Structure formats: structure tokens, C-alpha cells
Amino acid sequence: MTAAVFFGCTFIAFGPAIALFLFTIAREPLRVIFLIAGAFFWLVSLLLSSMVWFISVQISNKESAAQQKGLLIFGVVLSVLLQETFRFAYYKLLKKANEGLLTLSQEETMPISIRQLAYVSGLGFGFMSGAFSVVNILADSVGPGTVGIHGDSQHYFLSSAFMTMAIILLHMFWGVVFFDACEKQRWWAVAAVVISHLLVSCLTFQNPEYVASLVPTYVVLFLMGVWAFYSAGGSLRNLKLCLTCKDKDFLLANHRPR
Amino acid sequence: MNASDSDDDIYNERTALVPSENPVLPSYRPDSDTSLPGDSPTKRVNVCSLLSVSRHEVDADDEELTLKYGAKHVIMLFIPVTLCMAVVVATIKSVSFYTEKTDQQLIYTPFTENTASVGRRLLNSVLNTIIMISVIVVMTIFLVVLYKYRCYKFIHGWLILSSLMLLFWFSFMYLGEVFKTYNLAVDYPTVGVIIWNFGAVGMICIHWKGPLQLQQAYLILISALMALVFIKYLPEWSAWVILGAISVYDLVAVLSPKGPLRMLVETAQERNEPIFPALIYSSAMMWTVGMASPADAQRSETDEEAEQSGGGAEPPSRQSRSLPEDELEEDRGVKLGLGDFIFYSVLVGKAAATGGDWNTTLACFVAILIGLCLTLLLLAIFKKALPALPISITFGLVFYFSTDFLVQPFMDNLAAHQFYI
């Protein structure tokens, strides 16, 4: 419960996401706007699922702990499904907006492509999801206290931070894969995204058994990352060119001779 | 400190109109056909909710350019609004003075909320709101009347007094509270020097000339200070009802044909005068290719503003510049009234003040930004002065109450079990 814990957990949770934001999104106003709109859509989905959960809790038996836990699990599943629904809704909205703008302007190309929108909206979802999950915990970590004094796990903050990082990156990958699948009408891929989201959320039901929840989550993260990389047009060849700094397009764009 | 007096002055001052005959143009000057009157705390509130954007004629070929420029304008407003909210939230969370319950209330909200029953409390807050809004309406109409009868000196003096109060007295109070919070012992001469410099530079920047970014920074700071005063002295429920009522008033005042703000804008347009410097935040920037010196840039910026405002007669200062049009690239920017800043920050600050919950603050922040985005979209479609408060405040209020009552228990339960959604 020191400043070290606070800063460490903050940077673990938000470091990659903030780096992505600063290097790829911050300079382009359109991307920032769509990022915030994505965050807004996630927020609305959370609002709806909280409302349903709240109503179900009010009409249930508040004394029974098992029932409350069951309702919470129901709330989690509902929330995941609603999030994916709103992701689809955001996709539809963006397609409509894209079409509208295309017909309005004489240009053939859009100022922002659907793939960039997929990345940005996924990151927006991720930011909001991560922030809502972890900010209160981080605020508490600044104050006084002893972690796990009642016998709970001592690694609460650290595991929360790692889980949050995984969730943010996962949202970004899910966004890319989801939009790509919708573009190509591959509904099995959409279902796979939804199922993997459900899987990751249900894995957290095992907390505080962090090994059982974090390790599979990171495996899913890695797999989704690879899938998103390929669906965004990456390949081993691209990767090799990029890593050995021989990627001509990139070099041209950055005016660096090689 | 007698809160009511100082705020009274501020309210009075904020209703002042700025005279238009300044030969020496400030570093920014709202275009008369695009500018929106700023708000003063009460007047600011009334007047501020106008947004305007100036841009070239848009034809089909410019659509993509419009989209890009439109997005840039949105970001140019996101950043100051975010900064203002960040200052207010940071202060609220660290300096406890602004969240301490006090029995002192503004003169405009005389009914107390320390009553026993819920119904009585609600009634008191509604009465407070009615009084506050009536004061605002009366002041705005007074302002419009003053403007119509060209009492520019009166208005100008009023505005200067108001800024003086804000820049010196309120910032002195703020500095004192920050020192108290962090237990720093600072001597009076040092504080005197700091406040004197801060205030004097602020007066010059806001009312005369100054670098655009310094001016913007000062406007953000005084909006934040005003928002903090509101957060401290408005009672709980009254604040929420006032926020709601002010959005409705804003809508009416700007859009209805007999609305005071609309009449203000139209009168200013008839006279080809700019209105309200120092009550509007302008994101306008202007750059010329190969400009000789900052002085030229300054002059050219004001020239462009003058060009926009002067439909018929050209102001003499314009003749001095002879740059051909195609060498000039300009971005006239969007203007947002300071009252909008104040009320956005009041909403987010109140969300941060009540309870230790950051989720509510974040939700209100995102909601307000999205409301601003939508308002700017409407501005791009309709291309006339629009109220900036209604959509953002509505979203903000909806998200505040729903996050506080519905989302917060859900997220708390999830965090307790460490479930992730």
C-alpha cells in the first residue's frame, strides 16, 4: 500500500494501452474521437447490464449469499453479451457513417479506414473496461491498509493490474477480429470472439486462484493477438521486414533511407 | 469572507458586455457572426452556451476537409475542457476545503437544505433553483438592454472588476487552501509577489493582448476557480437541479427568437461588432506562410478576425496586410463560452466530491465529452450559434445518477470477488 504499489500497478495495467494511444492515436483527431465514442458505447452497455442486475437483486433474497453470487455470475455473463452486442452496434453505426460520408464527399477514400476504426474502437472499449475495473482499486492502494489481513490473497493489487492489462489488450484484439469478421460476413469468427470473451470472464470466477485464471487468460491473449495480427493483414514476412527495419513502406513514410 | 458579496460582484461583472470599439484588438476577438457570448457565473451561465465555428464556405469538394477540420476543432475543444475538469477534480480530491460542508450559502440560494424531511429538502432546492435562474434571466436581460443602448464603458468596467476579483481574490484563497492542505509555510511577501504577477499578467492577457496559449490557460484557470466556488457554496440537491434548469434555459435563450442570447448575437451582428472578449474561449489559431515576425502574426490574426466581423466596411488595420489569399492558411477555430467550461466542471467536480468513487467521475467525463462532440456535429450541420450545455449536461446528469446508483454497486461487488467483465 505504498506509492510503489500504486505506480507499479498503474503502469502495469495501463502502460501498453497508453503507449499505444500516444504513439498511434493521439496525433489524429478523428481517431481520438472514435476512441472516446467507443468508450461511451462500452459505458452504455455496462449501464444496461447493471440496471438488469440491480433489478434482479432487488427482487431477490438479499440474505442468501449463494443466490447473490449466482446473480452476480448472471450479471457478468449478461454484461459480456451486452458488450459484444454494443460492439456490433458500434460497427453498424460506423458502417452507416462511413457510407454517408462517402456519398457526401467526392473523395474515393475515407479519412479513416474500417480497420483503423476497429483498432481504435477496440482500444476505446478496452480503456473504459480497464478503467472501470481497476481505478477504484488503484485509488485504494494509495491509502493506508494491509492487504489480505483477513486471510485473503496478498497479491490482490498485482493480479488485478495484470488482469486489467490483459483485458485492455484483449478488447483491442477482439475489436480488430470482430470488425474484420463482420466485414467478411464470417459469423463463426464473431461467435469465437464472444465465446473467448465469455471464457476470459468465467476464468476470473476462480479468483483468488490466480494461476488458474491469469495463465489461461494470457494464453487466450496471445492467441487472440496472433489472430488479430493475421486478420489485420500481417504476416510472417511483414513481421520480419519490420523487425529488421527493411520495411520499405514504413521507411518511406518516415523518410529514413536504408 | 462574505461569499455572497463577492459572488454578487462576480455575477454583476459577468453580465457586462464588452465594448466593441477597441482600436487595439486583443489577441483574439470573437467574430461577430460566429462568436457566442460568454458566460459569467450567472451571466456567464446564461450567455456562455454558445458555440460557434468559423470556416470557409463548404462545398462538396471540401467535405473531407471539413471532416478533418471538424475533427480538429473537436479536439481543440476537448483538450481545454479536459484540462479544466482535471484541475477541478484534482483540487476536489486533494484540497478538502472545497468539499467541507459549510452553512454559508450564496445569496442566490437562500433556502437551506438541512431540513428533516426529503420533501421539504426537495422543495427548498427547487425554490433555490427558481431564484437562481430568475437572477440569471434578469441579469441577462439587463445585459442585453445595456448592450442595445450602447453603455459600453459601464459594461467594460464591470467586466474588468469581475476579472480582477477572480484573478486576485479567488486565486489568493485557492493558493491559501493548497498551502494549508500540504502544510507549507509561505510568507506574505512571497504570496503577494506570486498573486500580483499572476493577476496582472492575467488581466493583460484576457483583456488586452497576449500569447494565445497563455490566454487560453488563464481562461481555463478562472473557469476552474469559478467552478470550485460553485461546488463549495451550492447546496447538494440545488446544484443538480440548477444544472438541469440551466440547460433548459440555455436551450431557450439561444434558440428561441425572443431569447436574450439570440438577441445579443443578432444585435452584435447588425452592428458588426465583436462581443464579449474575455468571456469566450477561442481555439482560433492562424498561421501564415513565411511570416516575418510574431507581431505580424498577431496583427494578421486580428486582421482575420476583423475581416470576418466586418462584413461591409473594412477596418483600416486590414489595409496594412497584403498577403495574397493562397499564401495564407488559417484555421479559425471554434469558440466556446466560459460558462460552459464552468458548468461542465461543476458537474464533474460534484461527481468527484460525493463519495470516493472514481467510476462516476470517469463516466461523467466521457458523457460530457460525447455531448460536446455531438453538439459540435450539430454545429457543423446547422452552422449557427448553438447552446453547448443541453446535450452534455443531460448526458452528464443521466450518467452521474445511473452510475452512482446502478453501476457502482455492481462494480463494487465484482471487485470484491475479483470478477472481470
Side-chain angles (χ1 to χ4, degrees):
Chain A
M1 306 287 284
T2 59
V5 168
F6 170 71
F7 281 111
C9 289
T10 307
F11 292 141
I12 289 176
F14 290 111
I18 293 184
L20 283 167
F21 176 77
L22 282 178
F23 289 126
T24 58
I25 298 181
R27 291 194 180 274
E28 297 280 322
L30 263 184
R31 292 181 198 169
V32 175
I33 293 172
F34 284 118
L35 182 102
I36 298 184
F40 181 72
F41 269 74
W42 187 89
L43 199 59
V44 176
S45 83
L46 179 68
L47 190 64
L48 284 177
S49 54
S50 311
M51 188 153 57
V52 173
W53 175 82
F54 190 78
I55 293 173
S56 67
V57 162
Q58 296 304 319
I59 60 180
S60 76
N61 174 16
K62 290 204 186 143
E63 301 301 319
S64 152
Q67 201 182 46
Q68 294 303 310
K69 190 155 187 201
L71 276 178
L72 201 61
I73 291 179
F74 161 70
V76 168
V77 172
L78 177 70
S79 177
V80 168
L81 293 174
L82 270 177
Q83 281 176 48
E84 297 303 326
T85 310
F86 270 79
R87 205 195 296 275
F88 185 69
Y90 193 40
Y91 166 76
K92 279 284 174 210
L93 181 72
L94 287 176
K95 285 296 281 185
K96 256 203 181 41
N98 258 2
E99 280 164 14
L101 284 167
L102 259 179
T103 54
L104 270 179
S105 73
Q106 308 290 348
E107 307 276 331
E108 262 117 49
T109 54
M110 286 305 307
I112 184 167
S113 73
I114 196 75
R115 277 186 179 159
Q116 288 179 10
L117 282 173
Y119 161 65
V120 159
S121 72
L123 199 56
F125 269 58
F127 260 122
M128 213 54 192
S129 171
F132 263 65
S133 305
V134 95
V135 167
N136 276 332
I137 297 175
L138 289 175
D140 284 338
S141 77
V142 183
T146 308
V147 190
I149 198 169
H150 290 295
D152 301 308
S153 165
Q154 302 223 327
H155 305 295
Y156 184 78
F157 290 125
L158 208 57
S159 63
S160 298
F162 275 108
M163 193 68 204
T164 307
M165 172 172 83
I167 293 272
I168 296 179
L169 292 177
L170 270 170
H171 267 292
M172 182 182 68
F173 297 144
W174 282 329
V176 172
V177 174
F178 194 96
F179 277 45
D180 186 62
C182 286
E183 284 283 299
K184 298 187 179 137
Q185 308 270 323
R186 287 192 201 145
W187 305 117
W188 62 268
V190 173
V193 167
V194 177
I195 290 176
S196 73
H197 193 168
L198 272 173
L199 176 70
V200 168
S201 282
C202 294
L203 280 172
T204 63
F205 293 157
Q206 298 169 53
N207 281 335
E209 253 123 275
Y210 296 129
V211 177
S213 72
L214 275 179
V215 171
T217 304
Y218 272 81
V219 170
V220 173
L221 173 71
F222 179 71
L223 291 173
M224 286 304 300
V226 169
W227 191 3
F229 178 71
Y230 278 109
S231 72
S235 64
L236 278 175
R237 195 179 142 270
N238 277 352
L239 192 60
K240 208 164 64 152
L241 283 176
C242 176
L243 288 175
T244 54
C245 292
K246 288 208 179 67
D247 186 349
K248 288 213 172 50
D249 291 333
F250 179 77
L251 290 174
L252 265 174
N254 287 275
H255 307 293
R256 218 175 291 143
R258 181 58 65 140
Chain B
M1 174 192 111
N2 189 345
S4 23
D5 280 351
S6 59
D7 287 314
D8 199 16
D9 288 346
I10 298 217
Y11 294 157
N12 289 341
E13 290 159 355
R14 291 286 166 248
T15 49
L17 275 174
V18 174
S20 55
E21 74 251 355
N22 295 350
V24 178
L25 301 167
S27 60
Y28 76 101
R29 199 175 56 167
D31 301 335
S32 56
D33 54 345
T34 54
S35 64
L36 300 167
D39 272 0
S40 49
T42 26
K43 301 252 171 112
R44 262 186 197 188
V45 173
N46 311 336
V47 188
C48 69
S49 298
L50 293 176
L51 280 183
S52 74
V53 67
S54 51
R55 51 162 61 111
H56 306 281
E57 275 180 356
V58 174
D59 50 317
D61 291 336
D62 280 336
E63 276 303 328
E64 174 164 335
L65 227 56
T66 305
L67 179 68
K68 280 207 180 113
Y69 275 128
K72 199 153 61 147
H73 293 151
V74 172
I75 298 299
M76 286 198 299
L77 281 184
F78 272 9
I79 294 178
V81 169
T82 307
L83 280 174
C84 191
M85 288 194 226
V87 170
V88 170
V89 169
T91 308
I92 294 274
K93 288 286 184 185
S94 55
V95 179
S96 62
F97 170 73
Y98 289 103
T99 47
E100 275 164 9
K101 284 300 138 223
T102 169
D103 281 335
Q104 215 177 24
Q105 283 187 195
L106 298 173
I107 198 177
Y108 306 104
T109 54
F111 295 94
T112 176
E113 283 193 12
N114 284 336
T115 56
S117 75
V118 172
R120 178 92 201 150
R121 188 174 182 185
L122 195 61
L123 180 69
N124 278 355
S125 52
V126 171
L127 289 172
N128 278 339
T129 308
I130 292 177
I131 295 178
M132 182 76 133
I133 300 288
S134 343
V135 166
I136 288 176
V137 172
V138 163
M139 298 262 220
T140 312
I141 294 180
F142 184 46
L143 191 68
V144 175
V145 162
L146 277 178
Y147 190 63
K148 260 189 158 25
Y149 290 107
R150 301 177 188 265
C151 308
Y152 294 138
K153 285 213 182 325
F154 186 71
I155 289 166
H156 197 48
W158 218 2
L159 203 64
I160 286 190
L161 272 177
S162 157
S163 316
L164 262 171
M165 167 81 66
L166 212 55
L167 281 169
F168 286 96
W169 178 241
F170 280 174
S171 51
F172 172 68
M173 258 180 56
Y174 179 81
L175 204 60
E177 292 305 324
V178 169
F179 288 151
K180 273 187 221 165
T181 305
Y182 292 106
N183 209 15
L184 293 171
V186 184
D187 54 304
Y188 272 114
T190 309
V191 170
V193 168
I194 294 174
I195 295 291
W196 167 251
N197 279 304
F198 178 78
V201 175
M203 289 301 291
I204 293 175
C205 267
I206 294 174
H207 292 281
W208 193 50
K209 293 186 200 187
L212 182 67
Q213 283 181 327
L214 196 60
Q215 198 165 45
Q216 291 173 339
Y218 267 106
L219 289 174
I220 292 174
L221 283 173
I222 61 177
S223 306
L225 282 174
M226 204 59 230
L228 285 168
V229 166
F230 270 131
I231 293 173
K232 179 161 178 69
Y233 289 112
L234 282 180
E236 287 281 336
W237 291 15
S238 308
W240 295 114
V241 186
I242 285 175
L243 275 173
I246 210 84
S247 318
V248 174
Y249 168 72
D250 198 30
L251 198 63
V252 167
V254 176
L255 293 180
S256 77
K258 279 296 165 196
L261 296 183
R262 186 166 167 157
M263 281 171 49
L264 200 66
V265 175
E266 282 169 2
T267 316
Q269 280 177 359
E270 277 168 38
R271 297 182 192 171
N272 287 323
E273 284 167 357
I275 24 176
F276 294 135
L279 290 181
I280 303 186
Y281 176 95
S282 165
S283 60
M285 0 168 236
M286 160 135 166
W287 58 97
T288 62
V289 175
M291 55 191 190
S293 68
D296 281 343
Q298 188 84 333
R299 208 165 359 105
S300 51
E301 183 180 352
T302 56
D303 283 345
E304 280 312 309
E305 298 277 346
E307 180 190 11
Q308 257 254 308
S309 65
E314 290 181 353
S317 52
R318 190 157 170 261
Q319 309 302 331
S320 53
R321 232 174 23 81
S322 54
L323 284 166
E325 268 306 313
D326 52 8
E327 269 188 24
L328 219 63
E329 190 185 317
E330 56 184 77
D331 184 357
R332 297 209 180 133
V334 193
K335 294 177 178 48
L336 185 63
L338 286 193
D340 294 327
F341 280 86
I342 293 173
F343 280 101
Y344 293 162
S345 307
V346 165
L347 197 148
V348 175
K350 271 229 157 308
T354 52
D357 182 28
W358 283 92
N359 288 348
T360 317
T361 313
L362 273 175
C364 290
F365 168 70
V366 171
I368 288 180
L369 285 187
I370 291 292
L372 188 60
C373 198
L374 284 174
T375 312
L376 285 169
L377 189 68
L378 286 177
L379 187 70
I381 295 175
F382 291 111
K383 295 192 183 42
K384 60 173 207 168
L386 285 182
L389 279 184
I391 302 181
S392 287
I393 298 285
T394 310
F395 277 7
L397 287 175
V398 165
F399 275 88
Y400 172 76
F401 287 111
S402 53
T403 310
D404 210 28
F405 290 121
L406 299 176
V407 177
Q408 198 34 46
F410 185 47
M411 295 307 294
D412 270 347
N413 268 303
L414 288 179
H417 291 100
Q418 235 179 344
F419 291 171
Y420 278 78
I421 50 171

